[in-house]
Amino acid sequence: MRRAALTLLAAGLAVTACTSAPSAGAPDVFSVWDPYPQFTAGSEWARTVDRCGSEAGVEVRRQSFDTTDLTGKVLLAAQQRTAPHVLVVDNPVVSTLAEGGVLRPNSEVGLDASAAAPNLLSAGALDGQTYGVPIGANTLALYYNRSVLAAAGVDPAAITDWAALTTALAKVKAAGKKGITFSAIGTEEGTFQFLPWFWGSGAALTDLGSTQAVSALTLWKSWLDQGFAPNSVIGNTQTTSWQEFATGEYAFAENGTWQLQNAKKTGFEYGVIAIPGRTGGTAPAPTGGEFVTVPVQDDKATETKAGQIAACLTSPERVLAADTALTYVSAVRSVQEQQVAALPELAVWVAAVNAAKGRTGDNLGTRYPRISQPLWGAVQAALTGAKTPEAALKDAQATAAAAK
């Protein structure tokens, strides 16, 4: 979710009839667009892109954009017939681009996604076709402050369901510390952070008003009412909630793999546990991360060559270095094993990723933004006290249904 700014996706924007400029056969220079401007020409990612071009027998020219800008630029380029040959794009956007005719399905460009974990690959599935391959994933878990929990007499290993977590928060508060911080802001970040609790209750995005969904929102509301979570969560982004946790006053923070390096700089001992489901087990958390895709071109030879480059970028032999640089858990199980062997603390994150779900999965595709927006609105309404959780989610379901 670190790069999951979905401004254009939330608007439900799609285009049709998208091809690159005409060419006579495959060109000698292929363009690769990605959302990694932080990686310069000398980075491992840039070298990987160059190597994959060389292996395909072509020169590759890479352009990087901020994620928020990338989707808009791709849509415009597709309309102008200048789409890149290979596109690395945030996973919830894949279905929008596919439905708009911007992307070729894997079956038509020879791109094999069979090594990727099915739950991660689902974000690229639409109407029986798969578009692209996940390069890796991040997701959410609960960071905890070891000293705060120890002072409250809480064993993090005993937190296996919602009741155990709420009991732990009560003990922390009684010990004079703060409970849990998270992001409930009225944007996609708020939905992203609510989804583990929503899905962990057994709820489905096709029925926002279910009793299971109400139980999840009631849980969050109860934490605010009892002082286990601060009112600031209503406006917190994932960054500001992390800053609260970094003060050392909080027992828990819901956040992602991208905070691992920051966690090591807090000055206190921390640990990580999976977000528990309502009655136990690991709650499905949403996946962040990008897919490597092949946009529509004017000739088959160009698309096939682009498919070769995309396959190289996501191959088990190439992807470990990129996933390490991106602080991603690999989408490939064998590479995940290598990651845990090199850094055992990633084991919790690998388990979380393997239990995670794509936000646009279950064939929601471009329907997801029309569900997510009323869902974050319901969270805001309930946490501010404007509506009860039940009324807020009932209204959200009506809004989502009307937007079909």
Side-chain angles (χ1 to χ4, degrees):
M1 182 58 185
R2 176 178 50 191
R3 303 179 187 84
L6 304 180
T7 305
L8 289 168
L9 181 60
L13 185 58
V15 297
T16 57
C18 320
T19 58
S20 67
S23 61
D28 294 325
V29 178
F30 276 66
S31 57
V32 175
W33 287 11
D34 66 47
Y36 311 137
Q38 71 273 31
F39 295 123
T40 61
S43 67
E44 182 61 32
W45 168 250
R47 290 195 294 269
T48 298
V49 172
D50 289 340
R51 283 195 294 267
C52 287
S54 296
E55 289 182 13
V58 298
E59 178 185 349
V60 171
R61 292 181 184 168
R62 172 181 168 248
Q63 286 185 271
S64 297
F65 306 92
D66 178 82
T67 293
T68 306
D69 297 331
L70 179 57
T71 306
K73 289 184 182 297
V74 169
L75 291 168
L76 180 61
Q79 290 175 322
Q80 296 176 340
R81 303 166 65 84
T82 58
H85 299 99
V86 177
L87 172 66
V88 185
V89 67
D90 194 24
N91 76 76
V93 182
V94 174
S95 58
T96 293
L97 297 180
E99 187 170 279
V102 178
L103 304 178
R104 281 287 186 222
N106 294 351
S107 59
E108 295 183 14
V109 295
L111 187 53
D112 182 6
S114 61
N119 65 315
L120 302 182
L121 194 59
S122 67
L126 184 70
D127 297 331
Q129 294 277 13
T130 301
Y131 297 81
V133 181
I135 197 166
N138 55 40
T139 194
L140 297 166
L142 294 179
Y143 288 86
Y144 63 86
N145 185 317
R146 291 183 184 276
S147 63
V148 170
L149 292 190
V154 173
D155 177 5
I159 299 172
T160 57
D161 56 24
W162 290 2
L165 178 55
T166 300
T167 297
L169 294 176
K171 289 181 178 180
V172 168
K173 183 183 178 185
K177 291 293 186 178
K178 299 176 181 178
I180 185 169
T181 178
F182 49 87
S183 169
I185 193 170
T187 68
E188 179 62 24
E189 284 192 58
T191 295
F192 189 78
Q193 290 237 322
F194 183 59
L195 280 175
W197 313 95
F198 181 89
W199 283 331
S201 73
L205 287 172
T206 50
D207 185 5
L208 299 183
S210 69
T211 56
Q212 294 93 335
V214 171
S215 73
L217 190 47
T218 299
L219 178 74
W220 269 20
K221 175 60 172 169
S222 72
W223 288 349
L224 267 68
D225 290 345
Q226 296 176 80
F228 298 163
N231 287 329
S232 59
V233 300
I234 296 167
N236 270 350
T237 64
Q238 294 179 110
T239 298
T240 55
S241 69
W242 179 262
Q243 291 167 349
E244 289 179 337
F245 179 67
T247 64
E249 293 293 312
Y250 284 85
F252 298 97
E254 180 184 351
N255 228 295
T257 48
W258 55 90
Q259 298 291 7
L260 278 171
Q261 293 305 313
N262 288 330
K264 296 173 182 177
K265 300 174 184 177
T266 59
F268 55 80
E269 290 190 26
Y270 73 93
V272 181
I273 59 172
I275 297 172
R278 181 170 61 89
T279 59
T282 298
T287 57
E290 290 78 40
F291 271 53
V292 182
T293 65
V294 176
V296 171
Q297 308 297 327
D298 271 337
D299 66 272
K300 182 66 175 177
T302 300
E303 292 174 349
T304 300
K305 184 69 71 173
Q308 293 174 11
I309 297 170
C312 176
L313 291 174
T314 55
S315 70
E317 296 77 19
R318 296 292 190 201
V319 81
L320 177 58
D323 285 335
T324 300
L326 293 163
T327 60
Y328 280 170
V329 171
S330 178
V332 180
R333 295 294 170 86
S334 62
V335 179
Q336 291 176 0
E337 292 171 1
Q338 295 177 59
Q339 290 180 303
V340 172
L343 193 63
E345 69 178 296
L346 287 178
V348 171
W349 293 105
V350 168
V353 163
N354 287 335
K357 293 180 62 172
R359 283 164 281 170
T360 58
D362 300 327
N363 209 39
L364 289 178
T366 54
R367 290 174 56 201
Y368 172 74
R370 298 191 288 273
I371 296 169
S372 176
Q373 188 165 353
L375 180 56
W376 81 56
V379 171
Q380 288 270 299
L383 297 189
T384 59
K387 298 179 182 177
T388 66
E390 184 174 18
L393 287 167
K394 180 180 179 181
D395 290 347
Q397 176 59 27
T399 300
K404 287 182 180 179

